[in-house]
Amino acid sequence: MTATVAGAADVLMRDYMALEPNETVLITADTDSDEVVWQAVLQASLLAGANASVLLIPPLPYQGRLADPYLTPAVSAAALAADVWIDLTFPYLAGSELHDQAMEGEHIRYLLGADLNAGGLLRLFGRVDLDRYFAVHHAFDALVNEAVGKTVRITDNAGTDVSFILGQRGFDKPRRADKPGTVLVPGQCTLFPDVETVKGRIEVGAIFHEYYTPLAAPMTLEIDGRIRAIAGGGNERFVADRALRRAGSDGDYGYVIHFTHGIHPTARVTGDSFIEDTRAQGNNAIGMGMPWWDPGGGENHPDAVLFLHTIDIDGRRVVEDGAIVGPEPLVALAAELQPVIG
C-alpha cells in the first residue's frame, strides 16, 4: 500500500501517541503551520474515535517561557483540558509556563511537532518501521548512558572541532507515548554535556534563532565553557546574537546545553523544516542558552545545526561523516534501519 499523509497521521496518532477512543485531542497550530498536517492529524484523531479540535493562533515571536506574554486564556484552557496535545506552532509552546502546568497535571501527552510539514509527516511517520527505528535509538542511548563522565569529540568537514564531558541523561524517548509527558518527533538521539566542559569551535550550517533558516555564509561559534563569540553568518549573525542574549543570562550567550545525532532513514534536508532537517542521518541540533534546571532556562534556547558530523566517544569512533561505524552491534542494527518502500 502506498504511504500517504493520511496514513502517516494515523501512525502518529494511533501508534506513536497511543490515542484511545473518546480521548480529548487538542491540535495547536499557527497561521504559518502547514494546513495539510493539522487537517490530517485532525482527521486521524476523529477516525480513531477521539474528541478532537484545532486551535489556530498567530505565529509566536519566541518559544518557551518567552512565549508566555502572547498566550491567551483560551489557549491555556484548551491545553489543560486535553488528554493528547499536538503542538504544531513554531516557535513552539514547549517550555512555556502553560506547558509546564500541563506536565505538572500528569495526565497530558504532549508532542512537540513544531514546523513539521506534509512531506516531513509522510517521511518521518509514514516511511519508517518505528520498531526498527527505536531499536537503533535505544541502543545508541544505551551506548551514551554507559559513557557518562567520558569525553566526546564532535568534528565535521566544515571545521567544527568541539569536545565535552558527557553529563547525565535528561530524559528518555519512549517507543509509544502511552504515559503522560512530553515526546518529540522520532529521529534523533540526544547527548547532554556537562555544560562547563564544552570547548572548541562549531561551524553552523543552519540555525533556529527566531525562525529557522539555512545559512548562506557559515557562522562560527567559539565555546570555552560558555559561548564566547559568534563570527560570520551574514545578516543572520545579528538575529543569532539577540536570540542568544535573550536565552542567556546577564547579557551573555549562555552555554551549549545539548547535542544530537540524527538517525532517521527517510528524513531529508530541505531547508524548510527544522524538525526534519535535524533528524536526517548524521545531522546535529545543538541547543544553546541556559540549562532548563536553572531559572530562566528551559526551551528558550536557539539551536545551531551541523551537517554530517563525526563523533568519538572516549576515543572510539562511533559516527563518521554521519554514518554509525561502531560498535559492531549498533552498526548491525543501524544497517537494518531502511526506508519502508511503498
Side-chain angles (χ1 to χ4, degrees):
M1 181 180 294
T2 301
T4 64
V5 171
D10 185 71
V11 172
L12 163 60
M13 296 308 295
R14 292 199 210 217
D15 184 356
Y16 189 56
M17 296 306 297
L19 183 62
E20 296 289 342
N22 298 317
E23 287 193 304
T24 297
V25 175
L26 173 67
I27 303 159
T28 47
D30 61 48
T31 51
D32 287 343
S33 300
D34 190 335
E35 182 176 351
V36 173
V37 174
W38 59 257
Q39 287 275 17
V41 173
L42 175 64
Q43 291 303 315
S45 301
L46 295 172
L47 288 172
N51 304 304
S53 59
V54 177
L55 184 56
L56 196 65
I57 64 173
L60 299 165
Y62 315 116
Q63 76 270 33
R65 286 279 177 176
L66 298 176
D68 288 349
Y70 306 94
L71 299 182
T72 67
V75 177
S76 298
L80 296 176
D83 298 305
V84 176
W85 178 7
I86 308 298
D87 185 17
L88 299 172
T89 61
F90 190 73
Y92 46 76
L93 291 166
S96 66
E97 182 178 1
L98 172 58
H99 173 260
D100 288 350
Q101 290 176 349
M103 295 303 96
E104 288 168 3
E106 297 186 346
H107 76 277
I108 297 171
R109 311 194 298 281
Y110 169 92
L111 173 76
L112 200 172
D115 65 348
L116 188 65
N117 58 33
L121 175 61
L122 175 62
R123 289 183 287 272
L124 295 177
F125 287 98
R127 291 182 174 156
V128 64
D129 182 324
L130 285 178
D131 290 326
R132 286 191 173 184
Y133 165 80
F134 275 100
V136 179
H137 186 125
H138 291 152
F140 192 96
D141 279 356
L143 176 69
V144 171
N145 290 344
E146 291 169 2
V148 169
K150 305 295 185 181
T151 298
V152 176
R153 182 185 180 196
I154 296 177
T155 57
D156 68 12
N157 291 329
T160 294
D161 194 342
V162 62
S163 62
F164 54 91
I165 303 299
L166 264 175
Q168 294 292 328
R169 296 287 299 170
F171 55 85
D172 292 319
K173 298 180 181 179
R175 163 64 181 86
R176 300 184 81 233
D178 55 2
K179 295 180 175 59
T182 295
V183 295
L184 307 178
V185 174
Q188 60 185 187
C189 304
T190 309
L191 299 90
F192 294 99
D194 178 340
V195 296
E196 296 283 0
T197 69
V198 181
K199 299 180 185 296
R201 172 189 181 102
I202 296 174
E203 296 293 340
V204 182
I207 192 166
F208 167 40
H209 33 44
E210 294 171 4
Y211 46 86
Y212 176 60
T213 181
L215 295 175
M219 179 184 296
T220 303
L221 304 177
E222 299 288 348
I223 303 108
D224 185 1
R226 288 177 177 264
I227 300 169
R228 301 296 177 179
I230 310 174
N235 287 57
E236 299 303 332
R237 183 175 75 255
F238 302 114
V239 187
D241 176 85
R242 68 188 183 221
L244 283 169
R245 292 187 190 281
R246 275 195 304 266
S249 64
D250 300 323
D252 65 28
Y253 292 145
Y255 300 90
V256 171
I257 58 176
H258 69 66
F259 296 85
T260 67
H261 173 57
I263 62 170
H264 201 288
T266 57
R268 296 180 186 174
V269 177
T270 66
D272 296 326
S273 171
F274 170 74
I275 288 292
E276 184 174 15
D277 285 8
T278 55
R279 282 155 177 77
Q281 180 175 316
N283 291 353
N284 188 334
I286 299 172
M288 303 171 289
M290 299 303 294
W292 54 82
W293 53 87
D294 287 348
E299 292 293 341
N300 298 331
H301 64 270
D303 284 89
V305 183
L306 301 188
F307 300 103
L308 295 179
H309 58 198
T310 292
I311 303 176
D312 296 310
I313 299 179
D314 197 25
R316 296 179 299 164
R317 181 67 44 97
V318 176
V319 174
E320 185 167 6
D321 290 334
I324 292 174
V325 295
E328 185 53 41
L330 180 57
V331 173
L333 281 174
E336 295 178 0
L337 184 55
Q338 299 293 326
V340 172
I341 305 301

